[in-house]
């Protein structure tokens, strides 16, 4: 059975989010606020077409893409940078490379049981987030 990312997933842990936010130049006050959030991922997967909404009480972030097709990503409400992004399968994982001003920027998602994992990378920082599926 191929993996399906669709669903609503609630954050249960968030390691080194502050380090990641420093790497993308988020100011102190915003980092303190953002660091308190328990975000929710709302994912719709239709074959290789993904829609991902990251939802919180502070800000939301929306991103849609087709696997293997480069797109212009504007990280609106985050660090507001432009990236040339592309997401590919790596086995059952989905791996995004975000080419732009920042080195080594990207993320990886994978699913294990009823948990969704996300690693966000930028420069030398890695943030690890875990979400649990809404039953
Ligand atoms: C992403 O995930 C990141 C989605 O592309 C947002 C996750 C964390 C926020 C990233 C940086 C923080 C920047 C500014 C802080 C301000 C507000 C925080 C708001 C957090 C909720 C939006 C990959 C994929 C979806 O899951 O694209």
């Amino acid at each position: 059975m191929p993996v399906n990312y669709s669903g609503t997933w609630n954050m249960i842990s968030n390691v080194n989010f502050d380090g990641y936010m420093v790497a993308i130049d988020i100011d102190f006050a915003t980092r303190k606020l953002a660091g308190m959030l328990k975000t929710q991922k709302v994912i719709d997967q239709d074959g290789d077409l993904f829609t991902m909404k990251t939802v919180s009480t502070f800000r939301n972030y929306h991103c849609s893409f087709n696997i293997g097709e480069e797109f212009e990503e504007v990280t609106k409400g985050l660090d507001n940078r432009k990236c040339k992004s592309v997401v590919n399968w790596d086995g059952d994982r989905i791996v995004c490379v975000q080419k732009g001003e920042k080195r080594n920027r990207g993320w990886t998602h994978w699913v294990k049981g009823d948990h969704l994992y996300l690693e966000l990378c930028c420069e030398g920082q890695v943030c690890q987030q875990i979400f649990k599926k809404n039953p």
Side-chain angles (χ1 to χ4, degrees):
M1 264 286 272
V3 67
N4 183 12
Y5 286 84
S6 294
T8 297
W9 308 83
N10 300 311
M11 179 181 275
I12 55 169
S13 76
N14 193 3
V15 174
N16 195 38
F17 187 40
D18 198 64
Y20 175 78
M21 288 193 285
V22 169
I24 60 171
D25 308 310
I26 304 302
D27 68 82
F28 180 85
T30 307
R31 290 205 315 273
K32 293 304 129 186
L33 232 164
M36 308 273 293
L37 302 171
K38 290 272 179 275
T39 58
Q40 201 176 47
K41 288 280 176 200
V42 182
I43 301 178
D44 182 71
Q45 180 189 352
D46 179 7
D48 275 0
L49 173 64
F50 284 79
T51 299
M52 294 190 167
K53 290 176 191 149
T54 308
V55 179
S56 80
T57 51
F58 178 41
R59 285 178 198 166
N60 302 323
Y61 183 65
H62 179 271
C63 187
S64 290
F65 53 86
N66 263 298
I67 297 290
E69 289 179 18
E70 190 175 78
F71 62 103
E72 294 270 352
E73 183 174 14
V74 181
T75 58
K76 193 170 181 282
L78 307 177
D79 60 329
N80 299 302
R81 283 190 171 87
K82 283 187 185 162
C83 301
K84 288 207 185 296
S85 301
V86 65
V87 185
N88 279 294
W89 290 108
D90 172 14
D92 283 344
R93 298 185 177 213
I94 49 175
V95 180
C96 179
V97 176
Q98 295 170 310
K99 251 190 301 170
E101 182 186 339
K102 291 288 179 182
R103 298 301 100 212
N104 188 39
R105 183 168 185 169
W107 51 258
T108 300
H109 267 298
W110 67 99
V111 170
K112 212 175 166 182
D114 61 351
H115 288 76
L116 171 75
Y117 294 80
L118 171 62
E119 261 183 21
L120 293 157
C121 303
C122 185
E123 310 279 358
Q125 297 296 319
V126 182
C127 165
Q128 287 153 319
Q129 302 187 337
I130 306 175
F131 302 81
K132 194 177 187 326
K133 194 164 192 170
N134 238 6

